[in-house]
Coordinates of all heavy atoms in Angstrom, one line a residue:
M1 N 61.3 11.2 104.6 CA 60.3 10.3 105.2 C 59.5 9.6 104.1 O 59.1 10.3 103.1 CB 59.4 11.0 106.1 CG 58.2 10.1 106.6 SD 57.3 10.9 107.9 CE 56.2 12.0 107.0
T2 N 59.3 8.4 104.1 CA 58.5 7.7 103.1 C 57.1 7.4 103.7 O 57.0 6.8 104.8 CB 59.2 6.4 102.7 OG1 60.4 6.7 102.2 CG2 58.4 5.7 101.6
V3 N 56.1 7.7 103.0 CA 54.7 7.4 103.4 C 54.2 6.2 102.6 O 54.3 6.2 101.4 CB 53.8 8.6 103.2 CG1 52.4 8.3 103.6 CG2 54.3 9.9 103.9
I4 N 53.8 5.2 103.3 CA 53.4 4.0 102.6 C 51.9 3.7 102.9 O 51.5 3.8 104.1 CB 54.2 2.8 103.1 CG1 55.7 3.0 102.7 CG2 53.7 1.5 102.4 CD1 56.6 2.0 103.3
D5 N 51.1 3.5 101.9 CA 49.7 3.2 102.1 C 49.5 1.7 102.5 O 50.2 0.8 101.9 CB 48.9 3.4 100.8 CG 47.5 3.1 100.9 OD1 46.8 3.7 101.8 OD2 46.9 2.3 100.1
T6 N 48.7 1.5 103.5 CA 48.5 0.1 103.9 C 47.0 -0.2 103.7 O 46.2 -0.3 104.7 CB 48.9 -0.1 105.4 OG1 48.2 0.9 106.2 CG2 50.4 0.0 105.5
A7 N 46.5 -0.3 102.5 CA 45.1 -0.6 102.2 C 44.8 -2.0 102.6 O 45.7 -2.9 102.5 CB 44.9 -0.4 100.7
P8 N 43.6 -2.2 103.0 CA 43.2 -3.6 103.4 C 43.3 -4.6 102.2 O 43.1 -4.2 101.1 CB 41.7 -3.4 103.9 CG 41.5 -2.0 104.0 CD 42.5 -1.3 103.2
L9 N 43.6 -5.8 102.5 CA 43.7 -6.8 101.5 C 42.4 -7.0 100.9 O 41.3 -6.9 101.5 CB 44.2 -8.2 102.1 CG 45.6 -8.2 102.6 CD1 45.9 -9.5 103.3 CD2 46.6 -7.9 101.5
G10 N 42.4 -7.3 99.6 CA 41.1 -7.6 98.9 C 40.4 -6.4 98.3 O 39.4 -6.5 97.8
T11 N 41.0 -5.2 98.5 CA 40.4 -4.0 97.9 C 41.2 -3.5 96.8 O 42.4 -3.6 96.8 CB 40.3 -2.9 99.0 OG1 41.6 -2.5 99.4 CG2 39.4 -3.3 100.2
A12 N 40.5 -3.0 95.8 CA 41.2 -2.4 94.6 C 41.5 -0.9 94.9 O 40.6 -0.2 95.3 CB 40.4 -2.5 93.4
T13 N 42.7 -0.5 94.8 CA 43.1 0.9 95.1 C 44.0 1.4 94.0 O 44.6 0.6 93.3 CB 43.8 1.0 96.4 OG1 45.0 0.3 96.4 CG2 43.0 0.6 97.6
T14 N 44.0 2.7 93.9 CA 44.9 3.3 93.0 C 46.3 3.4 93.7 O 46.3 3.7 94.9 CB 44.5 4.8 92.7 OG1 43.1 4.7 92.1 CG2 45.4 5.4 91.7
P15 N 47.4 3.1 93.1 CA 48.7 3.2 93.8 C 48.9 4.5 94.4 O 48.6 5.6 93.9 CB 49.7 2.9 92.7 CG 48.9 2.3 91.6 CD 47.5 2.8 91.7
V16 N 49.3 4.5 95.7 CA 49.6 5.7 96.4 C 51.0 6.1 96.2 O 51.9 5.2 96.3 CB 49.3 5.4 97.9 CG1 49.7 6.6 98.8 CG2 47.8 5.1 98.2
P17 N 51.3 7.4 95.9 CA 52.6 7.8 95.7 C 53.5 7.6 97.0 O 53.0 7.7 98.1 CB 52.5 9.2 95.3 CG 51.2 9.7 95.7 CD 50.3 8.5 95.8
T18 N 54.8 7.5 96.7 CA 55.8 7.5 97.8 C 56.1 9.0 98.0 O 56.5 9.7 97.0 CB 57.0 6.7 97.5 OG1 56.6 5.3 97.2 CG2 58.0 6.7 98.6
L19 N 56.1 9.5 99.2 CA 56.3 10.9 99.5 C 57.6 11.0 100.3 O 57.7 10.4 101.3 CB 55.2 11.5 100.2 CG 55.3 13.0 100.7 CD1 55.5 13.9 99.6 CD2 54.2 13.4 101.6
V20 N 58.5 11.9 99.8 CA 59.7 12.2 100.6 C 59.8 13.7 100.8 O 59.7 14.4 99.8 CB 61.0 11.7 99.8 CG1 62.3 12.1 100.5 CG2 61.0 10.2 99.6
R21 N 59.9 14.1 102.0 CA 59.9 15.5 102.4 C 61.4 15.9 102.6 O 62.0 15.3 103.6 CB 59.1 15.8 103.6 CG 57.6 15.6 103.3 CD 56.8 16.0 104.5 NE 55.4 16.0 104.2 CZ 54.6 15.0 104.6 NH1 55.0 14.0 105.3 NH2 53.3 15.0 104.2
L22 N 61.9 16.8 101.9 CA 63.3 17.3 102.0 C 63.2 18.6 102.8 O 62.3 19.4 102.6 CB 64.0 17.5 100.7 CG 64.0 16.2 99.8 CD1 64.8 16.5 98.5 CD2 64.7 15.1 100.5
S23 N 64.3 18.9 103.6 CA 64.3 20.2 104.3 C 65.8 20.6 104.4 O 66.7 19.8 104.3 CB 63.7 20.0 105.7 OG 64.4 19.1 106.4
G24 N 65.9 21.9 104.6 CA 67.3 22.5 104.8 C 68.0 22.7 103.5 O 67.4 22.9 102.5
N25 N 69.3 22.7 103.6 CA 70.2 23.0 102.5 C 70.6 21.8 101.8 O 71.0 20.8 102.3 CB 71.5 23.7 103.1 CG 72.6 23.9 102.1 OD1 72.3 24.2 100.9 ND2 73.8 23.8 102.5
I26 N 70.4 21.8 100.4 CA 70.9 20.7 99.6 C 72.2 21.3 98.9 O 72.1 21.9 97.9 CB 69.8 20.3 98.5 CG1 68.5 20.0 99.2 CG2 70.4 19.2 97.7 CD1 67.4 19.7 98.2
G27 N 73.3 21.0 99.5 CA 74.5 21.5 99.0 C 75.7 20.5 99.1 O 75.4 19.3 99.3
I28 N 76.9 21.0 99.0 CA 78.0 20.1 98.9 C 78.2 19.1 100.0 O 78.6 18.0 99.9 CB 79.3 21.0 98.7 CG1 80.5 20.1 98.3 CG2 79.6 21.8 100.0 CD1 81.7 20.9 97.8
F29 N 77.8 19.5 101.2 CA 77.9 18.7 102.4 C 76.8 17.7 102.6 O 76.9 16.8 103.5 CB 78.1 19.5 103.7 CG 79.4 20.4 103.6 CD1 79.3 21.7 103.5 CD2 80.7 19.8 103.5 CE1 80.4 22.5 103.4 CE2 81.8 20.6 103.5 CZ 81.7 22.0 103.4
T30 N 75.7 17.8 101.8 CA 74.6 17.0 102.1 C 74.2 16.1 100.8 O 73.4 15.2 101.0 CB 73.3 17.8 102.4 OG1 73.0 18.7 101.3 CG2 73.5 18.6 103.7
T31 N 74.8 16.4 99.7 CA 74.4 15.7 98.5 C 74.7 14.2 98.5 O 73.8 13.4 98.0 CB 75.0 16.3 97.2 OG1 76.5 16.3 97.4 CG2 74.5 17.7 97.0
A32 N 75.8 13.7 99.1 CA 76.1 12.3 99.1 C 75.1 11.5 99.9 O 74.6 10.5 99.5 CB 77.5 12.1 99.6
Q33 N 74.7 12.0 101.1 CA 73.8 11.4 101.9 C 72.4 11.4 101.3 O 71.7 10.4 101.3 CB 73.7 12.0 103.3 CG 72.7 11.4 104.2 CD 72.6 12.1 105.5 OE1 73.0 13.2 105.7 NE2 72.0 11.4 106.5
L34 N 72.0 12.5 100.7 CA 70.7 12.6 100.0 C 70.6 11.6 98.8 O 69.6 11.0 98.7 CB 70.5 14.1 99.5 CG 69.2 14.3 98.7 CD1 68.0 14.0 99.5 CD2 69.2 15.7 98.2
R35 N 71.7 11.6 98.0 CA 71.7 10.6 96.9 C 71.5 9.2 97.4 O 70.6 8.5 96.9 CB 73.0 10.7 96.2 CG 73.1 9.7 95.0 CD 74.5 9.8 94.2 NE 74.6 11.1 93.6 CZ 75.4 12.1 94.0 NH1 76.2 11.9 95.0 NH2 75.5 13.2 93.3
R36 N 72.2 8.8 98.5 CA 72.1 7.4 99.0 C 70.6 7.2 99.5 O 70.0 6.2 99.2 CB 73.0 7.2 100.2 CG 74.4 6.9 99.7 CD 75.3 6.4 100.9 NE 75.3 7.3 102.0 CZ 76.2 8.4 102.2 NH1 77.0 8.6 101.2 NH2 76.1 9.1 103.2
R37 N 70.1 8.1 100.2 CA 68.7 8.0 100.7 C 67.7 7.9 99.6 O 66.7 7.1 99.7 CB 68.4 9.1 101.7 CG 69.1 8.9 103.0 CD 68.7 10.0 104.0 NE 69.3 9.7 105.3 CZ 68.9 10.2 106.4 NH1 67.8 10.9 106.4 NH2 69.5 9.9 107.5
L38 N 67.8 8.7 98.6 CA 66.8 8.7 97.5 C 66.9 7.4 96.7 O 65.9 6.9 96.3 CB 66.9 10.0 96.7 CG 66.5 11.3 97.3 CD1 66.8 12.4 96.4 CD2 65.1 11.2 97.8
I39 N 68.1 7.0 96.5 CA 68.3 5.7 95.7 C 67.7 4.6 96.5 O 67.1 3.7 96.0 CB 69.8 5.5 95.3 CG1 70.2 6.5 94.3 CG2 70.1 4.1 94.9 CD1 71.7 6.6 94.0
N40 N 68.0 4.6 97.8 CA 67.4 3.5 98.7 C 65.8 3.6 98.6 O 65.2 2.6 98.6 CB 67.9 3.7 100.1 CG 67.4 2.6 101.0 OD1 67.5 1.4 100.7 ND2 66.7 3.0 102.1
T41 N 65.3 4.8 98.6 CA 63.9 5.0 98.6 C 63.3 4.4 97.3 O 62.2 3.9 97.3 CB 63.5 6.5 98.7 OG1 64.0 7.0 100.0 CG2 62.0 6.7 98.6
L42 N 64.0 4.5 96.2 CA 63.5 4.0 94.9 C 63.3 2.5 95.0 O 62.4 2.0 94.4 CB 64.6 4.2 93.8 CG 64.7 5.7 93.3 CD1 65.8 5.8 92.3 CD2 63.4 6.2 92.7
T43 N 64.1 1.8 95.8 CA 63.9 0.3 95.9 C 62.6 0.0 96.6 O 62.1 -1.2 96.5 CB 65.0 -0.4 96.7 OG1 65.1 0.1 98.0 CG2 66.4 -0.1 96.0
H44 N 62.0 0.9 97.3 CA 60.7 0.7 98.1 C 59.6 1.6 97.6 O 58.5 1.7 98.2 CB 60.9 0.9 99.6 CG 62.1 0.2 100.1 ND1 62.1 -1.2 100.3 CD2 63.3 0.6 100.5 CE1 63.2 -1.6 100.8 NE2 64.0 -0.5 100.9
S45 N 59.8 2.2 96.4 CA 58.8 3.2 96.0 C 57.7 2.7 95.1 O 57.9 1.6 94.5 CB 59.6 4.3 95.1 OG 58.7 5.3 94.7
S46 N 56.6 3.4 95.1 CA 55.5 3.1 94.2 C 55.9 3.6 92.8 O 57.0 4.0 92.6 CB 54.2 3.7 94.7 OG 54.4 5.1 94.7
D47 N 55.0 3.6 91.9 CA 55.2 4.1 90.6 C 55.4 5.6 90.5 O 55.9 6.1 89.5 CB 54.1 3.7 89.6 CG 54.0 2.2 89.4 OD1 55.0 1.5 89.6 OD2 53.0 1.7 89.0
L48 N 55.1 6.3 91.6 CA 55.2 7.7 91.6 C 56.0 8.1 92.9 O 55.5 7.8 94.0 CB 53.8 8.4 91.6 CG 53.8 9.9 91.8 CD1 54.6 10.6 90.7 CD2 52.4 10.4 91.8
L49 N 57.1 8.8 92.7 CA 57.9 9.3 93.9 C 57.7 10.8 93.9 O 58.1 11.5 92.9 CB 59.3 8.9 93.7 CG 60.3 9.5 94.7 CD1 59.9 9.1 96.2 CD2 61.7 9.0 94.4
L50 N 57.1 11.3 94.9 CA 57.0 12.8 95.1 C 58.0 13.3 96.0 O 58.2 12.8 97.2 CB 55.6 13.1 95.7 CG 54.4 12.9 94.9 CD1 53.1 13.2 95.7 CD2 54.4 13.9 93.7
L51 N 58.8 14.3 95.6 CA 59.8 15.0 96.4 C 59.2 16.3 96.8 O 59.0 17.2 96.0 CB 61.1 15.2 95.7 CG 61.9 14.0 95.3 CD1 63.2 14.4 94.7 CD2 62.1 13.1 96.5
D52 N 58.8 16.5 98.1 CA 58.3 17.7 98.6 C 59.5 18.6 99.0 O 60.2 18.3 99.9 CB 57.4 17.4 99.8 CG 56.8 18.7 100.5 OD1 57.2 19.8 100.1 OD2 56.0 18.5 101.3
L53 N 59.6 19.7 98.3 CA 60.7 20.6 98.5 C 60.3 21.9 99.3 O 61.1 22.8 99.4 CB 61.3 21.0 97.2 CG 61.8 19.9 96.3 CD1 62.3 20.4 94.9 CD2 62.8 19.0 96.9
S54 N 59.2 21.9 99.9 CA 58.6 23.1 100.5 C 59.5 23.6 101.7 O 59.4 24.8 102.0 CB 57.2 22.9 101.0 OG 57.1 21.8 101.9
R55 N 60.3 22.7 102.3 CA 61.1 23.1 103.4 C 62.6 23.2 103.1 O 63.5 23.3 103.9 CB 60.9 22.2 104.6 CG 59.5 22.2 105.1 CD 59.4 21.3 106.3 NE 58.0 21.4 106.8 CZ 57.4 20.6 107.6 NH1 58.1 19.5 108.0 NH2 56.2 20.7 108.0
V56 N 62.9 23.2 101.8 CA 64.3 23.3 101.3 C 64.6 24.8 101.4 O 63.9 25.6 100.9 CB 64.5 22.7 99.9 CG1 65.9 23.1 99.3 CG2 64.3 21.2 99.9
T57 N 65.8 25.1 102.0 CA 66.2 26.6 102.2 C 67.2 27.0 101.1 O 67.3 28.2 100.9 CB 66.7 26.8 103.6 OG1 67.8 25.9 103.8 CG2 65.7 26.6 104.6
S58 N 67.9 26.1 100.6 CA 68.9 26.5 99.5 C 69.3 25.2 98.7 O 69.2 24.1 99.3 CB 70.1 27.2 100.0 OG 70.9 26.3 100.8
C59 N 69.7 25.4 97.5 CA 70.1 24.2 96.7 C 71.2 24.7 95.7 O 71.0 25.7 95.0 CB 68.9 23.7 95.9 SG 69.2 22.3 94.9
G60 N 72.3 24.0 95.7 CA 73.4 24.3 94.8 C 73.4 23.4 93.6 O 72.5 22.5 93.4
A61 N 74.4 23.5 92.8 CA 74.5 22.7 91.6 C 74.6 21.2 91.9 O 74.0 20.4 91.2 CB 75.8 23.1 90.8
G62 N 75.3 20.9 93.0 CA 75.3 19.5 93.4 C 74.0 18.9 93.7 O 73.6 17.7 93.4
G63 N 73.1 19.7 94.4 CA 71.8 19.3 94.7 C 70.9 19.1 93.4 O 70.2 18.1 93.3
L64 N 71.1 19.9 92.4 CA 70.4 19.7 91.2 C 70.9 18.5 90.5 O 70.1 17.7 89.9 CB 70.6 21.0 90.2 CG 70.0 22.3 90.7 CD1 70.3 23.4 89.7 CD2 68.5 22.1 90.8
G65 N 72.2 18.2 90.6 CA 72.8 17.0 90.0 C 72.2 15.8 90.6 O 71.9 14.8 89.9
V66 N 72.0 15.8 91.9 CA 71.4 14.6 92.6 C 70.0 14.4 92.1 O 69.6 13.3 91.8 CB 71.4 14.8 94.2 CG1 70.5 13.8 94.8 CG2 72.8 14.8 94.7
L67 N 69.2 15.5 92.0 CA 67.8 15.4 91.5 C 67.8 14.8 90.1 O 67.0 13.9 89.8 CB 67.1 16.7 91.5 CG 66.9 17.3 92.9 CD1 66.2 18.7 92.7 CD2 66.1 16.4 93.8
V68 N 68.7 15.2 89.2 CA 68.7 14.7 87.8 C 69.2 13.3 87.8 O 68.6 12.5 87.1 CB 69.7 15.6 87.0 CG1 70.0 15.0 85.6 CG2 69.1 17.0 86.8
G69 N 70.2 12.9 88.6 CA 70.7 11.6 88.6 C 69.6 10.6 89.2 O 69.4 9.5 88.6
V70 N 69.0 11.0 90.2 CA 67.9 10.1 90.8 C 66.8 10.0 89.9 O 66.2 8.9 89.7 CB 67.5 10.6 92.2 CG1 66.3 9.9 92.7 CG2 68.7 10.5 93.2
Q71 N 66.4 11.1 89.2 CA 65.3 11.0 88.2 C 65.7 9.9 87.1 O 64.8 9.2 86.7 CB 65.1 12.3 87.5 CG 63.9 12.2 86.6 CD 63.7 13.5 85.7 OE1 64.7 14.0 85.3 NE2 62.5 13.9 85.5
G72 N 66.9 9.9 86.6 CA 67.3 8.9 85.6 C 67.2 7.5 86.2 O 66.7 6.6 85.4
R73 N 67.6 7.3 87.4 CA 67.5 5.9 88.0 C 66.0 5.6 88.1 O 65.6 4.4 87.9 CB 68.2 5.9 89.3 CG 69.7 5.8 89.2 CD 70.3 5.8 90.6 NE 71.7 5.8 90.5 CZ 72.5 4.8 90.9 NH1 71.9 3.7 91.4 NH2 73.7 4.8 90.8
A74 N 65.2 6.6 88.6 CA 63.8 6.3 88.7 C 63.1 5.9 87.4 O 62.4 4.9 87.3 CB 63.1 7.6 89.3
R75 N 63.4 6.6 86.4 CA 62.9 6.3 85.0 C 63.3 4.9 84.6 O 62.4 4.2 84.0 CB 63.4 7.3 84.0 CG 62.6 8.6 84.0 CD 63.1 9.4 82.8 NE 62.4 10.7 82.8 CZ 62.8 11.8 82.2 NH1 63.9 11.8 81.5 NH2 62.1 12.9 82.3
A76 N 64.5 4.5 84.8 CA 65.0 3.2 84.5 C 64.2 2.1 85.2 O 64.1 1.0 84.7 CB 66.5 3.0 84.7
Q77 N 63.6 2.4 86.4 CA 62.8 1.5 87.1 C 61.3 1.7 86.9 O 60.5 1.0 87.6 CB 63.2 1.6 88.6 CG 64.6 1.3 89.0 CD 64.9 1.6 90.4 OE1 64.1 1.4 91.3 NE2 66.2 1.9 90.7
G78 N 60.9 2.5 86.0 CA 59.5 2.7 85.7 C 58.8 3.6 86.8 O 57.6 3.6 86.9
I79 N 59.6 4.4 87.5 CA 59.1 5.3 88.5 C 59.1 6.8 88.0 O 60.2 7.2 87.5 CB 59.9 5.2 89.8 CG1 59.8 3.8 90.3 CG2 59.4 6.2 90.9 CD1 60.8 3.4 91.5
T80 N 58.1 7.5 88.2 CA 58.0 8.9 87.8 C 58.4 9.7 89.1 O 57.7 9.6 90.1 CB 56.6 9.3 87.4 OG1 56.3 8.5 86.2 CG2 56.6 10.8 87.0
L81 N 59.5 10.5 89.0 CA 59.9 11.4 90.0 C 59.3 12.8 89.8 O 59.5 13.4 88.7 CB 61.4 11.5 90.1 CG 62.0 12.3 91.3 CD1 63.3 11.7 91.6 CD2 62.1 13.7 91.0
T82 N 58.4 13.2 90.7 CA 57.7 14.5 90.6 C 58.1 15.4 91.7 O 58.2 15.0 92.9 CB 56.2 14.3 90.5 OG1 55.9 13.4 89.4 CG2 55.4 15.6 90.4
L83 N 58.3 16.7 91.4 CA 58.6 17.7 92.4 C 57.4 18.4 92.9 O 56.5 18.7 92.0 CB 59.7 18.7 91.9 CG 61.0 18.1 91.3 CD1 61.8 19.2 90.8 CD2 61.7 17.3 92.3
T84 N 57.2 18.7 94.1 CA 56.1 19.4 94.7 C 56.5 20.4 95.7 O 57.6 20.2 96.3 CB 55.0 18.4 95.2 OG1 53.8 19.2 95.5 CG2 55.5 17.6 96.4
G85 N 55.7 21.4 96.0 CA 56.0 22.3 97.1 C 57.2 23.2 96.9 O 58.0 23.5 97.8
L86 N 57.4 23.6 95.6 CA 58.6 24.3 95.3 C 58.6 25.7 95.9 O 57.7 26.5 95.7 CB 58.7 24.5 93.8 CG 58.9 23.3 92.9 CD1 59.0 23.7 91.4 CD2 60.2 22.6 93.3
P87 N 59.6 26.0 96.7 CA 59.7 27.4 97.2 C 60.1 28.3 96.0 O 60.6 27.8 95.0 CB 60.9 27.4 98.2 CG 61.3 26.0 98.4 CD 60.7 25.2 97.2
P88 N 59.7 29.6 96.1 CA 60.0 30.5 94.9 C 61.4 30.4 94.4 O 61.6 30.4 93.2 CB 59.6 31.9 95.5 CG 58.6 31.6 96.5 CD 59.0 30.3 97.2
F89 N 62.4 30.4 95.3 CA 63.8 30.4 94.8 C 64.1 29.1 94.0 O 64.8 29.1 93.0 CB 64.8 30.5 95.9 CG 65.1 29.2 96.6 CD1 66.2 28.4 96.2 CD2 64.4 28.7 97.7 CE1 66.4 27.2 96.8 CE2 64.7 27.5 98.3 CZ 65.7 26.8 97.8
M90 N 63.4 28.0 94.4 CA 63.7 26.7 93.7 C 63.0 26.7 92.3 O 63.6 26.2 91.4 CB 63.1 25.6 94.6 CG 63.6 24.2 94.2 SD 65.3 24.0 94.6 CE 65.6 22.5 93.8
A91 N 61.8 27.3 92.3 CA 61.1 27.4 91.0 C 62.0 28.3 90.0 O 62.1 27.9 88.9 CB 59.7 28.0 91.2
R92 N 62.5 29.4 90.5 CA 63.4 30.2 89.7 C 64.6 29.5 89.2 O 65.1 29.6 88.1 CB 63.8 31.5 90.4 CG 62.7 32.5 90.5 CD 63.2 33.9 91.1 NE 63.9 33.8 92.4 CZ 63.3 33.8 93.6 NH1 62.0 33.9 93.6 NH2 64.0 33.7 94.7
L93 N 65.2 28.7 90.2 CA 66.4 27.9 89.8 C 66.2 26.9 88.8 O 66.9 26.8 87.8 CB 67.0 27.3 91.1 CG 68.2 26.4 91.0 CD1 69.4 27.3 90.5 CD2 68.6 25.8 92.3
L94 N 65.1 26.2 88.9 CA 64.7 25.2 87.9 C 64.4 25.9 86.5 O 64.8 25.4 85.5 CB 63.5 24.4 88.3 CG 63.8 23.5 89.5 CD1 62.5 22.8 90.0 CD2 64.8 22.4 89.2
R95 N 63.7 27.0 86.5 CA 63.5 27.8 85.3 C 64.8 28.2 84.6 O 65.0 28.1 83.4 CB 62.6 29.0 85.5 CG 61.1 28.7 85.3 CD 60.3 30.0 85.3 NE 60.6 30.9 86.3 CZ 60.0 30.9 87.6 NH1 59.1 30.0 87.9 NH2 60.3 31.8 88.4
S96 N 65.7 28.8 85.4 CA 66.9 29.4 84.9 C 67.8 28.3 84.3 O 68.6 28.6 83.5 CB 67.6 30.3 85.9 OG 68.1 29.5 87.0
T97 N 67.7 27.1 84.8 CA 68.6 26.0 84.3 C 67.9 25.2 83.3 O 68.5 24.3 82.7 CB 69.0 25.1 85.5 OG1 67.9 24.6 86.1 CG2 69.9 25.9 86.5
G98 N 66.6 25.4 83.0 CA 65.9 24.6 82.0 C 65.4 23.3 82.6 O 64.7 22.5 81.9
L99 N 65.6 23.1 83.9 CA 65.2 21.8 84.5 C 63.7 21.8 84.8 O 63.1 20.7 85.0 CB 66.0 21.5 85.7 CG 67.5 21.2 85.5 CD1 68.2 21.0 86.9 CD2 67.6 20.0 84.7
D100 N 63.0 22.9 84.7 CA 61.6 22.9 84.9 C 60.9 22.1 83.8 O 59.8 21.7 83.9 CB 61.0 24.4 85.0 CG 61.3 25.2 83.7 OD1 62.3 25.0 83.0 OD2 60.5 26.1 83.4
H101 N 61.6 22.0 82.6 CA 61.0 21.2 81.5 C 61.3 19.7 81.7 O 60.8 18.8 81.0 CB 61.5 21.7 80.2 CG 61.1 23.1 79.9 ND1 59.8 23.4 79.7 CD2 61.8 24.2 79.8 CE1 59.7 24.7 79.5 NE2 60.9 25.2 79.6
R102 N 62.3 19.4 82.5 CA 62.7 18.0 82.7 C 61.9 17.2 83.8 O 61.6 16.1 83.6 CB 64.2 18.0 83.1 CG 64.7 16.6 83.2 CD 66.2 16.6 83.6 NE 66.6 15.2 83.8 CZ 67.5 14.6 83.1 NH1 68.1 15.2 82.1 NH2 67.8 13.3 83.3
F103 N 61.5 18.0 84.8 CA 60.8 17.4 85.9 C 59.3 17.7 85.9 O 58.9 18.8 85.7 CB 61.3 17.9 87.3 CG 62.7 17.5 87.6 CD1 63.8 18.3 87.3 CD2 62.9 16.2 88.2 CE1 65.1 17.9 87.7 CE2 64.2 15.8 88.6 CZ 65.2 16.6 88.3
P104 N 58.5 16.6 86.1 CA 57.1 16.9 86.3 C 57.0 17.7 87.7 O 57.7 17.4 88.6 CB 56.4 15.6 86.5 CG 57.4 14.6 85.9 CD 58.7 15.2 86.1
I105 N 56.2 18.8 87.7 CA 56.0 19.6 88.9 C 54.6 19.7 89.2 O 53.7 20.0 88.4 CB 56.6 21.0 88.6 CG1 58.1 20.9 88.3 CG2 56.3 21.9 89.9 CD1 58.8 22.2 88.0
M106 N 54.3 19.3 90.5 CA 52.9 19.3 91.0 C 52.8 20.5 92.0 O 53.7 20.7 92.8 CB 52.7 18.0 91.8 CG 51.3 17.9 92.3 SD 51.1 16.4 93.3 CE 50.9 15.2 92.0
A107 N 51.7 21.3 91.8 CA 51.5 22.5 92.7 C 51.3 22.1 94.1 O 50.9 21.0 94.4 CB 50.4 23.3 92.1

């Protein structure tokens, strides 16, 4: 889901991040659809794309590959992809693969 701020015209605001909430298993059967949706979200995203992973139940190598690939596309478009709501297993997975140093992580 993408959350879009609709501030009244004529007001100065700080850009509101685009929020995408992921849930369930990020594995071999879901990565293609997830990749397409996230790439599509980039075309409508603010300068900050937040991926809320708090409802993700498992993530395989393909899921990590999607996150890395989408982050590369985001950077090329001037968008910062930040992870938030990491379940403990996801935090361990990112640490064990060294990806915790690649992604900005918001508590």
Side-chain angles (χ1 to χ4, degrees):
M1 174 171 79
T2 302
V3 178
I4 301 172
D5 180 56
T6 55
L9 293 176
T11 62
T13 61
T14 305
V16 174
T18 303
L19 174 63
V20 176
R21 291 184 177 103
L22 303 181
S23 62
N25 175 32
I26 303 175
I28 192 167
F29 298 112
T30 60
T31 55
Q33 181 182 16
L34 176 61
R35 179 181 294 110
R36 281 191 305 274
R37 286 186 174 198
L38 291 177
I39 289 171
N40 184 52
T41 299
L42 288 175
T43 64
H44 307 289
S45 183
S46 65
D47 293 342
L48 176 60
L49 174 60
L50 288 174
L51 294 186
D52 180 351
L53 304 177
S54 61
R55 294 184 179 161
V56 171
T57 56
S58 65
C59 182
L64 292 177
V66 168
L67 295 179
V68 169
V70 170
Q71 182 190 41
R73 286 178 181 248
R75 280 186 180 160
Q77 296 177 30
I79 299 169
T80 301
L81 187 150
T82 300
L83 306 179
T84 188
L86 296 178
F89 85 88
M90 196 73 190
R92 285 190 305 273
L93 182 60
L94 292 173
R95 266 193 314 274
S96 68
T97 58
L99 291 175
D100 60 328
H101 297 292
R102 181 179 178 119
F103 290 97
I105 298 174
M106 180 185 281

